[in-house]
Amino acid sequence: MADAALTVIGGGAVGLAIAAELSRRHAPLYVLERNPKYGQETSSRNSEVIHAGIYYANGSLKARLCVEGNRLLYGICGRHNIPHRRITKIITATRPSEESELRRLRALGEGNGVTLRMMTAAEVSALEPQIVTAGGLFSPDTGIISAHALMDYYYSTAREQGAVVQTRCTVVAVERRSNDYLITVSEGGERSTITSERVINAAGLESDTIASLAGIDVDREGYRLHYSRGCYFSLPASLSACVSRLVYPVPTDETLGVHAVVDLGGRLKFGPDIEYQEDRVADYRVDEKKRDAFGASVRRILPHVRDEDLTPDICGIRPKLQGPGEPARDFLIREESGRGLPGFINLVGIDSPGLTASPAIAKYVGEML
Ligand SMILES: Cc1cc2nc3c(=O)[nH]c(=O)nc-3n(C[C@H](O)[C@H](O)[C@H](O)COP(=O)(O)OP(=O)(O)OC[C@H]3O[C@@H](n4cnc5c(N)ncnc54)[C@H](O)[C@@H]3O)c2cc1C
């Protein structure tokens, strides 16, 4: 008999949500995480926005799992006292020529089942007097959440249901055997193995590496990840009250645009920008030299913000399936029996809105097993 019924590789929001959802049904369940604590990578380096599901292609996994995740998250937060606020959001057209883009977004979002309302410039200004606007799109169901508190909840639920979360434990090999998987891990330089009937690859920025260790040709199958850095700059507390909800510009092809993110403590930061990395080094430094470019992006929305008001803040790295200039790709969530890997599920390219979608992704994976 295998050591584990199910092993989840990666203790980020997605891996932990899966462990919380499945540990009752699939025992013993192991989560293997390379860092000293869970949730130290992308899941704690993001905007902490509960997205409504506006931007994603109708029928895509991103759209379906974001809309369902939004509903599930508000329920989880309410029942388990996870800090959050349904703070709402405005996408503002900064000039009249962008209004057609707002209408396109409204049609896209409503096609995903999202509640949205067009606003005149006067209506936007009544809510947010300091922002530049020629009209807006209002999302009542967009919110903010403490990502750490959400992961603490997933973690304790999984633990209470018997899951073992093994930290400082890096997966270095995965081998399919006749009835199970042999997983080799490195802990403090020491190698050991664990056998598991089924495996879920939720390894975030290394999910393509894990797929490759399991024998998948990631270049041929389109699983190869590109690292795309997203940095933030923050405003001092004295200026943080200049908006009271999330304010976004109209998105570009590649990002949602540098937006105003209010956190649960009332702090205001702007970001993320987008910068593809040539290499795969996880470099989270925020270069002061970006300040001028950030200042210019922020002033599209809030003209009174000066470059010198902005302080470098956090950086996160998006695990993107598309390279620079390529069309957006959907989440890749696949059971790999067809590739000779029964009971092996890959989750690759779980970029935004992966935090929002995490409880819905967990249910979706549960149905696949
Ligand atoms: C700048 C930015 C802003 C974002 N904003 C939002 C937002 O506002 N709302 C939203 O919904 N989403 C947002 N996202 C997306 C969201 O953060 C991610 O989709 C989500 O955190 C992905 O979670 P994960 O568990 O898949 O990945 P991760 O959090 O990266 O977890 C994967 C884990 O796997 C571990 N791991 C990797 N390799 C191994 C190995 N070999 N062995 C063992 N463990 C391993 C890692 O240490 C890591 O802890 C944003 C992302 C970025 C970068």
Side-chain angles (χ1 to χ4, degrees):
M1 209 176 118
D3 302 322
L6 184 62
T7 299
V8 180
I9 304 173
V14 172
L16 294 171
I18 292 169
E21 174 72 20
L22 299 181
S23 40
R24 218 188 284 277
R25 269 184 279 156
H26 299 270
L29 186 150
Y30 282 75
V31 178
L32 307 179
E33 166 54 51
R34 65 179 168 182
N35 286 316
K37 195 179 177 226
Y38 56 86
Q40 293 195 321
E41 300 202 357
T42 312
S43 295
S44 53
R45 296 175 165 276
N46 57 62
S47 299
E48 296 184 295
V49 170
I50 304 178
H51 285 296
I54 305 170
Y55 303 95
Y56 318 107
N58 293 168
S60 63
L61 278 180
K62 283 188 177 175
R64 285 162 44 202
L65 298 174
C66 182
V67 169
E68 189 189 347
N70 175 290
R71 185 181 54 78
L72 291 171
L73 265 196
Y74 282 120
I76 292 171
C77 289
R79 284 193 301 279
H80 301 284
N81 294 322
I82 295 166
H84 73 292
R85 265 177 75 199
R86 205 183 281 255
I87 193 171
T88 76
K89 151 172 162 176
I90 292 174
I91 304 173
T92 180
T94 53
R95 46 182 189 269
S97 59
E98 290 178 345
E99 282 178 87
S100 58
E101 185 60 9
L102 291 185
R103 283 193 291 277
R104 185 190 73 79
L105 286 173
R106 180 173 76 165
L108 186 61
E110 288 180 347
N112 291 335
V114 179
T115 301
L116 292 165
R117 182 160 64 83
M118 292 295 279
M119 279 182 156
T120 63
E123 287 172 323
V124 173
S125 299
L127 289 181
E128 294 294 345
Q130 301 200 34
I131 68 172
V132 176
T133 187
L137 187 61
F138 181 72
S139 166
D141 293 324
T142 302
I144 52 176
I145 184 170
S146 162
H148 283 105
L150 176 65
M151 288 190 279
D152 289 346
Y153 160 74
Y154 287 146
Y155 171 80
S156 47
T157 304
R159 290 283 308 271
E160 277 159 24
Q161 293 173 172
V164 177
V165 180
Q166 194 76 35
T167 53
R168 299 179 198 271
C169 179
T170 305
V171 172
V172 294
V174 180
E175 184 194 331
R176 175 67 198 165
R177 305 194 307 181
S178 49
N179 289 317
D180 60 14
Y181 291 89
L182 181 70
I183 302 169
T184 307
V185 298
S186 168
E187 292 176 90
E190 296 283 307
R191 291 202 169 198
S192 57
T193 57
I194 152 173
T195 55
S196 185
E197 288 166 27
R198 290 161 171 186
V199 179
I200 313 247
N201 167 16
L205 290 165
E206 295 298 347
S207 50
D208 57 346
T209 309
I210 298 292
S212 169
L213 289 177
I216 291 175
D217 183 333
V218 294
D219 288 313
R220 196 182 62 204
E221 304 300 336
Y223 287 34
R224 176 74 69 194
L225 288 173
H226 304 267
Y227 283 19
S228 161
R229 280 160 45 85
C231 295
Y232 297 80
F233 277 70
S234 54
L235 278 189
S238 57
L239 296 175
S240 283
C242 61
V243 293
S244 53
R245 55 181 50 67
L246 304 165
V247 179
Y248 286 57
V250 297
T252 66
D253 286 344
E254 287 197 315
T255 74
L256 306 188
V258 166
H259 48 264
V261 192
V262 185
D263 72 17
L264 287 160
R267 226 166 53 94
L268 184 59
K269 60 181 191 284
F270 297 95
D273 66 348
I274 181 160
E275 181 192 343
Y276 273 94
Q277 279 183 243
E278 294 279 309
D279 51 30
R280 301 243 317 207
V281 179
D283 178 0
Y284 294 113
R285 282 171 304 179
V286 179
D287 192 341
E288 293 254 0
K289 290 197 202 103
K290 286 174 176 264
R291 183 180 275 112
D292 296 3
F294 260 84
S297 298
V298 172
R299 280 189 292 277
R300 280 181 60 206
I301 309 176
L302 284 161
H304 66 279
V305 174
R306 299 166 307 169
D307 290 354
E308 54 270 34
D309 297 329
L310 296 165
T311 306
D313 204 281
I314 60 163
C315 170
I317 302 176
R318 308 169 183 90
K320 280 200 176 290
L321 281 165
Q322 72 271 20
E326 292 172 6
R329 294 265 306 268
D330 201 1
F331 291 154
L332 192 159
I333 305 179
R334 205 168 281 167
E335 203 280 336
E336 304 286 7
S337 290
R339 293 191 172 83
L341 299 170
F344 192 102
I345 297 181
N346 277 310
L347 293 101
V348 188
I350 311 298
D351 58 350
S352 194
L355 184 68
T356 308
S358 57
I361 291 175
K363 288 194 181 300
Y364 185 70
V365 166
E367 284 160 17
M368 280 180 148
L369 279 177

